Amino acid sequence: AKAKILVGFIQVVLSLSSNYRVRWPPAYQAFGDSISRFHIDPIQLFLPSDCFPYRVRLLLYEWGPFTLIACVLAVGLLLRLKEWCASAPPRRSLAEAVKDGLLDWTPAALVIVFMVVPLTSAYTFQAWSCEWYYTSLIEPPDGSVTYSKNLLQDLRLECDSEEHREAIRIAVGSAILWPLGSLVLFAALLVPVRRPLLQQRPNSLSRATSFLHREYKLQWYWWEEVELARKIMLTGCFALIGPRDEASSFVWLIFATVLSMVYAVLVALVQPFKRFEDAMLASA
């Protein structure tokens, strides 16, 4: 539980500088820089922005983790099918072997979702973050100044161009697949385990999804859904719905602060964690 809380905190901190364009105090800036040293973005590492178009990197942010999860589940499925084929008759049904193969590696898949959703959410919603720039560093003799609106993530890309509209369409798909899709996935996995958990009769699904609920009290087994929604709001949604200038970004930063305070109060009131120290860490 403590590791999940700390990782979630780091995920939010890493997104602040890119999503909230305000001038941070030097002490906080130094703190953020120290945390960013532990942040490794494999897509940025192997596909630097200078070498690949923005839409290509956006597609990889969208489908890269999905492909990894599919491969992880496929490994479990193939191992169980191999075991099923090698077993002597009478064999159990093929459907049971497939189910067990998927459940064997469901914990690993959930860890991947937990790790990538905030990063993908932040990068996806930055497709709407544009800025106005001077088109020339030298003021024309007639005094007229022209501007260009470019994407902050890739200044080569002009906003409202056909290429940017294509990137927006990709970002919409990514937002449906990851921020929204992860919330639906967690709900779809947590609803069926309600009765086994409350009756304290664990089954194969409740054991496979223990990553989502093992640190919470039984009546609050679904709290991971709330935590995920909070991280999505802080890492991406405010950047999407908020204006782009520094003054308005500061206003949205206040809303984000209020959201964090409300969440801290809720954790202190309802005490969803089994351990008191976990609740204190989450509130802090």
Side-chain angles (χ1 to χ4, degrees), residues 73 76-77 80-81 92-106 203-208:
L73 295 178
L77 183 60
R80 282 290 185 172
L81 289 178
R92 56 180 182 157
S93 68
L94 178 61
E96 290 181 352
V98 171
K99 176 185 174 182
D100 290 343
L102 294 175
L103 291 178
D104 285 345
W105 289 80
T106 294
N203 56 18
S204 57
L205 181 59
S206 65
R207 286 189 290 267

Side-chain angles (χ1 to χ4, degrees), residues 16-37:
L16 291 181
S17 59
S18 58
N19 287 341
Y20 301 94
R21 293 166 47 213
V22 298
R23 285 172 287 184
W24 301 98
Y28 181 85
Q29 188 66 48
F31 171 71
D33 292 342
S34 64
I35 289 182
S36 63
R37 297 172 186 172

Side-chain angles (χ1 to χ4, degrees), residues 54 58 61 119-128 170-172 174-175 179:
Y54 174 75
L58 190 58
Y61 272 98
L119 172 64
T120 306
S121 175
Y123 196 84
T124 294
F125 290 126
Q126 287 168 13
W128 284 268
I170 297 173
V172 170
S174 181

Side-chain angles (χ1 to χ4, degrees), residues 192-265:
V193 302
R194 177 180 180 274
R195 180 172 296 178
L197 289 177
L198 295 181
Q199 294 180 351
Q200 299 187 29
R201 295 179 178 178
N203 56 18
S204 57
L205 181 59
S206 65
R207 286 189 290 267
T209 59
S210 62
F211 178 80
L212 300 179
H213 54 73
R214 61 190 172 198
E215 66 264 33
Y216 303 116
K217 297 176 182 176
L218 290 179
Q219 64 269 34
W220 300 106
Y221 72 97
W222 47 268
W223 193 260
E224 190 67 28
E225 187 87 358
V226 178
E227 169 65 11
L228 179 63
R230 180 188 71 90
K231 289 194 294 185
I232 291 174
M233 289 292 293
L234 292 176
T235 58
C237 288
F238 282 149
L240 172 63
I241 62 181
R244 311 301 177 210
D245 58 278
E246 183 176 348
S248 299
S249 294
F250 184 76
V251 173
W252 285 105
L253 181 61
I254 294 176
F255 278 106
T257 304
V258 171
L259 174 63
S260 299
M261 293 175 63
V262 170
Y263 178 81
V265 171

